[in-house]
Amino acid sequence: MISRLSSRRRLAEPAQPSLLLLPSDSTSPPDFLPCLAVLLPSLSISSVLPAPAQPFLLPSLSPSFLALSLRSSLLTAQPFLFLSLSPSAHSSRAPSYSRHSSQQLPYSVVAPHINKEAAMTTMLRELRLSLNQTQRVRLQSALQSLQEMSSLASTITVVADTIPVNHEDSILKGHGTSDLNGEVVATLCGVVERINKLVYVRAQRARYKPEVGDIIVGRVIEIAPKRWRLEINFSQDAVLMLSSMNLPDGIQRRRTAVDELNMRSIFEENDVICAEVRGFQHDGSLHLQARSQKYGKLERGMLLTVPAYLVKRRKQHLHHLQQYGIDLILGCNGFIWVGEHVNSHGENDSAANRENREDAVNKTGELQVIQEVQEPERTTPLEVRQHICRVANSVRLLSALGFNLTVEFIIDTVEASISSNTDIKDMLAAEFYVQTAEREVQRRVSLSRKH
Amino acid sequence: MEYVDSLTGFRLDGRRPNDIRQIRAEIGVVAKADGSALFEMGNTKVIAAVYRPTEVQNKGQQINNQALVRCEYSMANFSTRDLQEDQRGTEISLVICQTMEACILVHLMPCSQIDIFVQVLQADGETRSACINAATLTLADACFPMRDIVTSCSAGYLSSTPLLHLNYVEDSARGPDVTVGILAKMDKVTLLQMGSKLPIDIFENVMQLAIEGCKAIAQYIREVLLENTKLLESRKGL
């Protein structure tokens, strides 16, 4: 309402032809912005993403600012000024009339050029950083060299692009392709892969696509009759049957009603579990199994969520980092577990507790649930906890940068942070971010030189 | 009033009659969403976000062999001074929904629901077109399989001249206003709306102008998507 009053007042004033920076409770005629605004790199809408240099704007970028230039002749024709910019708009919008310098052929319109700097800032989806000028320049040059190194330019495709195909061969059209007038056309944005006669498009930001044998990490959300329901970053929840889980006493036997009533003593709601995909149910949801000793409940650690496409399927997903005493589980669904190392699940390290368990068994003469007998009161040592935090931060950093997550890369990053004496909390700050990007550039350069 | 200056040929905002507005698009503005985009046409600014297909909430609407596409269109309270645009929210939601349904390959995701959320941050005419363009970018970003890139723009006829991309001032003149949405490569029209009246021959000219504008926007959108894909792929590495 205040803006409406001020607009009426402003109509009476003579127009000023110079460039002004005014608070947003003044109004501006639409599209009357100077050509200079075109040179201003664009800002993303989120208020804390890094902003490229703005030579024409006030450095204090307060939420209420607006760049105007008024043209006296046009102003007098406008009795109805409006368009107070939203308080969240930081950037001045480039004018539409800057296009009038393009050619004037009838019915031919010129497509605008994309702003590469804007494309660069979209990289920082996850992490909120404020980079200063030198860091920004370094980061951009690192990302630029990464892009130049990748040789994928020929195979990248966008929706509705034709995929070059030799029409004489019989081609099998796979995922992400469709037929349009005899041409093979992509339906996704991604990379074209060709394997023998199969042509398909691998989407770059695909959701998790489960396969039998995947190792995943999930969180229990519900206990249902004879099964647990887990949330696994998929469109449906996965199911872990009671019969697919080892009983605590380790004996292979039929699950009785007593076992079913005691399910809560094995896993409760909000427990984090590591399991393997056994198969699919008829409605597409997953069946899991956790029969081996390496699967089961995960304790004393951190669960991290990264985009699922950053975790590639490898031979080994459960890693034991001996130099730190940490277990690292890279779940294929994008859930990563970093925790203190346990020798194997269901047992504990100290010999004393093992004796306690045997005594208890001998005394009562019956098999008891192990959790009832012992409760190790040890706490995780401080050093191990610090290592866990370092590894977790490096995972967060790498996923924010968009790099594939592999154990070697994570360990490299942790070691670099230790050797450069970066504090754990500074690992997510701008400086280490830029350094990691630069290190990755060097690593890839040296890799490509070897080949 | 003169919408096209007779002496110079400029419009109210300094454009020529067949100049497009300044277009800017950005992908990935909402970190939590599976796909998101910010699309600006001139001063009209729109954010769109989409989440991965979920189970249908209202089981009665579930379609067993394809996905259900829902769109929610809303204007922020600060987006415009005049409030009457707000009441057309349901109609525009339906329009966007039908347009996107024509281009998503819905039979690949049976028994699920796709939610597209579009919010207008700044309204300066052509909000409907900007929303459709933003939704296309969002769906491509979230890697939903699509038949083609859908783009939309509007054209009008004021002061005896066909004008491309009407802004709010020209729109409020209550002259003829044709909004066209096309599948860019397949050259098919998915949306055609008009307000007021036009003789048929002039209508053909105006619609042709709008289709040209759509194709220019499609070219830009394609470049943005290509750039984004290249960046993501190059960073993922080996």
mmCIF file of all heavy atoms in Angstrom, chain A residues 32-59:
data_model
loop_
_atom_site.group_PDB
_atom_site.id
_atom_site.type_symbol
_atom_site.label_atom_id
_atom_site.label_comp_id
_atom_site.label_asym_id
_atom_site.label_seq_id
_atom_site.Cartn_x
_atom_site.Cartn_y
_atom_site.Cartn_z
ATOM 1 N N PHE A 32 11.890 -0.377 -18.526
ATOM 2 C CA PHE A 32 12.721 0.790 -18.806
ATOM 3 C C PHE A 32 14.037 0.660 -18.075
ATOM 4 O O PHE A 32 14.325 1.386 -17.150
ATOM 5 C CB PHE A 32 12.021 2.056 -18.317
ATOM 6 C CG PHE A 32 10.814 2.389 -19.113
ATOM 7 C CD1 PHE A 32 9.812 3.150 -18.558
ATOM 8 C CD2 PHE A 32 10.669 1.950 -20.401
ATOM 9 C CE1 PHE A 32 8.700 3.485 -19.276
ATOM 10 C CE2 PHE A 32 9.545 2.267 -21.117
ATOM 11 C CZ PHE A 32 8.561 3.040 -20.560
ATOM 12 N N LEU A 33 14.783 -0.287 -18.440
ATOM 13 C CA LEU A 33 16.030 -0.494 -17.726
ATOM 14 C C LEU A 33 17.166 -0.248 -18.697
ATOM 15 O O LEU A 33 17.051 -0.502 -19.868
ATOM 16 C CB LEU A 33 16.090 -1.903 -17.169
ATOM 17 C CG LEU A 33 15.034 -2.136 -16.112
ATOM 18 C CD1 LEU A 33 14.968 -3.590 -15.751
ATOM 19 C CD2 LEU A 33 15.312 -1.314 -14.880
ATOM 20 N N PRO A 34 18.282 0.235 -18.220
ATOM 21 C CA PRO A 34 19.347 0.621 -19.147
ATOM 22 C C PRO A 34 20.006 -0.583 -19.802
ATOM 23 O O PRO A 34 19.992 -1.667 -19.291
ATOM 24 C CB PRO A 34 20.335 1.347 -18.241
ATOM 25 C CG PRO A 34 20.079 0.782 -16.908
ATOM 26 C CD PRO A 34 18.623 0.494 -16.855
ATOM 27 N N CYS A 35 20.593 -0.301 -20.931
ATOM 28 C CA CYS A 35 21.336 -1.348 -21.627
ATOM 29 C C CYS A 35 22.430 -1.902 -20.753
ATOM 30 O O CYS A 35 22.840 -3.024 -20.880
ATOM 31 C CB CYS A 35 21.979 -0.796 -22.891
ATOM 32 S SG CYS A 35 20.796 -0.358 -24.114
ATOM 33 N N LEU A 36 22.948 -1.056 -19.882
ATOM 34 C CA LEU A 36 24.032 -1.491 -19.021
ATOM 35 C C LEU A 36 23.639 -2.695 -18.203
ATOM 36 O O LEU A 36 24.454 -3.513 -17.847
ATOM 37 C CB LEU A 36 24.427 -0.352 -18.074
ATOM 38 C CG LEU A 36 24.996 0.877 -18.764
ATOM 39 C CD1 LEU A 36 25.182 1.969 -17.756
ATOM 40 C CD2 LEU A 36 26.290 0.539 -19.450
ATOM 41 N N ALA A 37 22.346 -2.765 -17.902
ATOM 42 C CA ALA A 37 21.918 -3.885 -17.066
ATOM 43 C C ALA A 37 22.184 -5.212 -17.750
ATOM 44 O O ALA A 37 22.292 -6.230 -17.130
ATOM 45 C CB ALA A 37 20.442 -3.751 -16.732
ATOM 46 N N VAL A 38 22.277 -5.184 -19.075
ATOM 47 C CA VAL A 38 22.517 -6.446 -19.780
ATOM 48 C C VAL A 38 23.862 -7.008 -19.394
ATOM 49 O O VAL A 38 24.079 -8.198 -19.353
ATOM 50 C CB VAL A 38 22.469 -6.209 -21.304
ATOM 51 C CG1 VAL A 38 22.812 -7.464 -22.044
ATOM 52 C CG2 VAL A 38 21.117 -5.707 -21.699
ATOM 53 N N LEU A 39 24.801 -6.097 -19.083
ATOM 54 C CA LEU A 39 26.129 -6.578 -18.769
ATOM 55 C C LEU A 39 26.221 -7.144 -17.369
ATOM 56 O O LEU A 39 27.170 -7.802 -17.032
ATOM 57 C CB LEU A 39 27.143 -5.428 -18.887
ATOM 58 C CG LEU A 39 27.171 -4.782 -20.259
ATOM 59 C CD1 LEU A 39 28.115 -3.617 -20.251
ATOM 60 C CD2 LEU A 39 27.591 -5.788 -21.293
ATOM 61 N N LEU A 40 25.234 -6.867 -16.546
ATOM 62 C CA LEU A 40 25.301 -7.367 -15.181
ATOM 63 C C LEU A 40 25.079 -8.860 -15.192
ATOM 64 O O LEU A 40 24.089 -9.326 -15.694
ATOM 65 C CB LEU A 40 24.219 -6.712 -14.317
ATOM 66 C CG LEU A 40 24.367 -5.213 -14.115
ATOM 67 C CD1 LEU A 40 23.176 -4.694 -13.375
ATOM 68 C CD2 LEU A 40 25.630 -4.915 -13.363
ATOM 69 N N PRO A 41 25.987 -9.600 -14.637
ATOM 70 C CA PRO A 41 25.737 -11.040 -14.564
ATOM 71 C C PRO A 41 24.511 -11.306 -13.723
ATOM 72 O O PRO A 41 24.239 -10.604 -12.777
ATOM 73 C CB PRO A 41 26.996 -11.603 -13.913
ATOM 74 C CG PRO A 41 27.997 -10.516 -14.005
ATOM 75 C CD PRO A 41 27.259 -9.226 -14.058
ATOM 76 N N SER A 42 23.813 -12.318 -14.088
ATOM 77 C CA SER A 42 22.540 -12.536 -13.421
ATOM 78 C C SER A 42 22.742 -13.205 -12.085
ATOM 79 O O SER A 42 23.685 -13.944 -11.872
ATOM 80 C CB SER A 42 21.684 -13.396 -14.312
ATOM 81 O OG SER A 42 22.479 -14.476 -14.760
ATOM 82 N N LEU A 43 21.820 -12.935 -11.187
ATOM 83 C CA LEU A 43 21.856 -13.551 -9.875
ATOM 84 C C LEU A 43 20.766 -14.591 -9.792
ATOM 85 O O LEU A 43 19.715 -14.442 -10.357
ATOM 86 C CB LEU A 43 21.573 -12.503 -8.799
ATOM 87 C CG LEU A 43 22.699 -11.540 -8.492
ATOM 88 C CD1 LEU A 43 22.206 -10.537 -7.487
ATOM 89 C CD2 LEU A 43 23.878 -12.282 -7.931
ATOM 90 N N SER A 44 21.027 -15.614 -9.064
ATOM 91 C CA SER A 44 19.951 -16.582 -8.886
ATOM 92 C C SER A 44 19.007 -16.068 -7.827
ATOM 93 O O SER A 44 19.325 -15.171 -7.068
ATOM 94 C CB SER A 44 20.522 -17.922 -8.510
ATOM 95 O OG SER A 44 20.548 -18.012 -7.126
ATOM 96 N N ILE A 45 17.847 -16.643 -7.801
ATOM 97 C CA ILE A 45 16.783 -16.097 -6.977
ATOM 98 C C ILE A 45 17.063 -16.343 -5.497
ATOM 99 O O ILE A 45 16.629 -15.613 -4.640
ATOM 100 C CB ILE A 45 15.431 -16.712 -7.388
ATOM 101 C CG1 ILE A 45 14.299 -15.869 -6.847
ATOM 102 C CG2 ILE A 45 15.332 -18.123 -6.907
ATOM 103 C CD1 ILE A 45 14.198 -14.552 -7.509
ATOM 104 N N SER A 46 17.812 -17.365 -5.183
ATOM 105 C CA SER A 46 18.051 -17.649 -3.784
ATOM 106 C C SER A 46 18.982 -16.614 -3.199
ATOM 107 O O SER A 46 19.979 -16.257 -3.784
ATOM 108 C CB SER A 46 18.648 -19.043 -3.666
ATOM 109 O OG SER A 46 19.288 -19.178 -2.437
ATOM 110 N N SER A 47 18.675 -16.142 -2.030
ATOM 111 C CA SER A 47 19.364 -14.953 -1.569
ATOM 112 C C SER A 47 20.777 -15.214 -1.107
ATOM 113 O O SER A 47 21.523 -14.287 -0.918
ATOM 114 C CB SER A 47 18.568 -14.338 -0.426
ATOM 115 O OG SER A 47 18.419 -15.320 0.567
ATOM 116 N N VAL A 48 21.163 -16.452 -0.913
ATOM 117 C CA VAL A 48 22.513 -16.641 -0.399
ATOM 118 C C VAL A 48 23.433 -17.337 -1.375
ATOM 119 O O VAL A 48 24.557 -17.617 -1.053
ATOM 120 C CB VAL A 48 22.520 -17.439 0.920
ATOM 121 C CG1 VAL A 48 22.035 -16.581 2.038
ATOM 122 C CG2 VAL A 48 21.662 -18.667 0.774
ATOM 123 N N LEU A 49 22.989 -17.609 -2.574
ATOM 124 C CA LEU A 49 23.931 -18.202 -3.516
ATOM 125 C C LEU A 49 24.938 -17.140 -3.926
ATOM 126 O O LEU A 49 24.632 -15.965 -3.922
ATOM 127 C CB LEU A 49 23.193 -18.750 -4.734
ATOM 128 C CG LEU A 49 22.487 -20.079 -4.487
ATOM 129 C CD1 LEU A 49 21.881 -20.579 -5.764
ATOM 130 C CD2 LEU A 49 23.446 -21.114 -3.941
ATOM 131 N N PRO A 50 26.121 -17.545 -4.317
ATOM 132 C CA PRO A 50 27.159 -16.550 -4.607
ATOM 133 C C PRO A 50 26.785 -15.698 -5.800
ATOM 134 O O PRO A 50 26.243 -16.180 -6.778
ATOM 135 C CB PRO A 50 28.385 -17.393 -4.917
ATOM 136 C CG PRO A 50 27.865 -18.717 -5.249
ATOM 137 C CD PRO A 50 26.627 -18.901 -4.445
ATOM 138 N N ALA A 51 27.091 -14.460 -5.695
ATOM 139 C CA ALA A 51 26.745 -13.520 -6.758
ATOM 140 C C ALA A 51 28.000 -13.127 -7.502
ATOM 141 O O ALA A 51 28.995 -12.777 -6.897
ATOM 142 C CB ALA A 51 26.091 -12.282 -6.162
ATOM 143 N N PRO A 52 27.986 -13.182 -8.806
ATOM 144 C CA PRO A 52 29.120 -12.662 -9.558
ATOM 145 C C PRO A 52 29.264 -11.170 -9.327
ATOM 146 O O PRO A 52 28.361 -10.528 -8.844
ATOM 147 C CB PRO A 52 28.762 -12.965 -11.015
ATOM 148 C CG PRO A 52 27.701 -13.992 -10.940
ATOM 149 C CD PRO A 52 26.972 -13.782 -9.666
ATOM 150 N N ALA A 53 30.378 -10.643 -9.742
ATOM 151 C CA ALA A 53 30.678 -9.240 -9.422
ATOM 152 C C ALA A 53 29.652 -8.313 -10.041
ATOM 153 O O ALA A 53 29.195 -8.510 -11.154
ATOM 154 C CB ALA A 53 32.068 -8.894 -9.947
ATOM 155 N N GLN A 54 29.294 -7.326 -9.321
ATOM 156 C CA GLN A 54 28.270 -6.398 -9.776
ATOM 157 C C GLN A 54 28.859 -5.008 -9.766
ATOM 158 O O GLN A 54 28.755 -4.300 -8.773
ATOM 159 C CB GLN A 54 27.072 -6.430 -8.827
ATOM 160 C CG GLN A 54 26.542 -7.808 -8.594
ATOM 161 C CD GLN A 54 25.519 -8.185 -9.619
ATOM 162 O OE1 GLN A 54 24.721 -7.369 -10.018
ATOM 163 N NE2 GLN A 54 25.573 -9.413 -10.064
ATOM 164 N N PRO A 55 29.470 -4.621 -10.836
ATOM 165 C CA PRO A 55 30.154 -3.319 -10.765
ATOM 166 C C PRO A 55 29.215 -2.138 -10.653
ATOM 167 O O PRO A 55 29.602 -1.077 -10.229
ATOM 168 C CB PRO A 55 30.940 -3.268 -12.077
ATOM 169 C CG PRO A 55 30.242 -4.226 -12.962
ATOM 170 C CD PRO A 55 29.695 -5.289 -12.089
ATOM 171 N N PHE A 56 27.955 -2.323 -11.042
ATOM 172 C CA PHE A 56 27.085 -1.163 -11.028
ATOM 173 C C PHE A 56 26.180 -1.093 -9.823
ATOM 174 O O PHE A 56 25.476 -0.142 -9.647
ATOM 175 C CB PHE A 56 26.195 -1.158 -12.280
ATOM 176 C CG PHE A 56 27.005 -1.193 -13.527
ATOM 177 C CD1 PHE A 56 27.123 -2.355 -14.252
ATOM 178 C CD2 PHE A 56 27.676 -0.072 -13.946
ATOM 179 C CE1 PHE A 56 27.886 -2.384 -15.398
ATOM 180 C CE2 PHE A 56 28.436 -0.104 -15.094
ATOM 181 C CZ PHE A 56 28.548 -1.251 -15.821
ATOM 182 N N LEU A 57 26.174 -2.106 -9.009
ATOM 183 C CA LEU A 57 25.214 -2.127 -7.923
ATOM 184 C C LEU A 57 25.891 -1.828 -6.607
ATOM 185 O O LEU A 57 27.075 -1.995 -6.450
ATOM 186 C CB LEU A 57 24.536 -3.489 -7.822
ATOM 187 C CG LEU A 57 23.860 -3.938 -9.084
ATOM 188 C CD1 LEU A 57 23.261 -5.295 -8.847
ATOM 189 C CD2 LEU A 57 22.783 -2.969 -9.491
ATOM 190 N N LEU A 58 25.111 -1.418 -5.646
ATOM 191 C CA LEU A 58 25.640 -1.186 -4.318
ATOM 192 C C LEU A 58 26.144 -2.496 -3.748
ATOM 193 O O LEU A 58 25.500 -3.510 -3.879
ATOM 194 C CB LEU A 58 24.545 -0.630 -3.410
ATOM 195 C CG LEU A 58 24.029 0.752 -3.801
ATOM 196 C CD1 LEU A 58 22.839 1.079 -2.946
ATOM 197 C CD2 LEU A 58 25.104 1.778 -3.647
ATOM 198 N N PRO A 59 27.265 -2.472 -3.103
ATOM 199 C CA PRO A 59 27.806 -3.720 -2.560
ATOM 200 C C PRO A 59 26.928 -4.310 -1.489
ATOM 201 O O PRO A 59 26.988 -5.473 -1.186
ATOM 202 C CB PRO A 59 29.171 -3.314 -2.006
ATOM 203 C CG PRO A 59 29.109 -1.849 -1.853
ATOM 204 C CD PRO A 59 28.135 -1.338 -2.842
#
